[in-house]
Amino acid sequence: MKFSGYWVSLSSGKALLECTTFDETDLDPATNWKQAWQNEDETSTCNGFIELREALIFAAKLLSTAEGRTLSQVEIEKIVLFQPEWNNDACQIQSIFQLLGGGPPVSD
């Protein structure tokens, strides 16, 4: 079976969401088949998600760590409403400020 989803990673302080397709061997049964990770590198911050909501939350957590701040529950509730603008199946997110609606989406 094939499942549409998203890879989320951090590079140079920016989060990158990439549309992808997973098969059941990519997904972890411990997450009810909703998450994946790249196991080539144990220190990798690249994780996969079936649901956009969870991908956005993970991207926000990566950015908040990079920015040295914590996220409130109110901020997370606002972040999951973010609508990525896709360019070649990818969306680069510059900052938490952008996820909170404080700036235009930047796509590659």
Side-chain angles (χ1 to χ4, degrees), residues 28-98:
D28 181 6
T31 65
N32 199 24
W33 310 102
K34 301 281 185 187
Q35 294 182 19
W37 60 88
Q38 291 186 338
N39 55 6
E40 296 94 35
D41 180 3
E42 291 181 14
T43 63
S44 174
T45 60
C46 187
N47 283 38
F49 300 89
I50 296 296
E51 298 171 354
L52 179 58
R53 172 187 170 84
E54 298 305 316
L56 290 170
I57 290 170
F58 185 72
K61 288 179 180 178
L62 291 175
L63 288 168
S64 68
T65 299
E67 295 175 14
R69 61 173 290 191
T70 57
L71 295 170
S72 70
Q73 188 60 39
V74 170
E75 288 174 317
I76 291 171
E77 289 170 9
K78 190 169 184 180
I79 285 165
V80 299
L81 301 175
F82 180 79
Q83 294 296 308
E85 289 191 19
W86 303 101
N87 185 11
N88 296 322
D89 291 332
C91 176
Q92 187 177 63
I93 302 168
Q94 303 287 332
S95 67
I96 293 293
F97 183 68
Q98 181 184 345

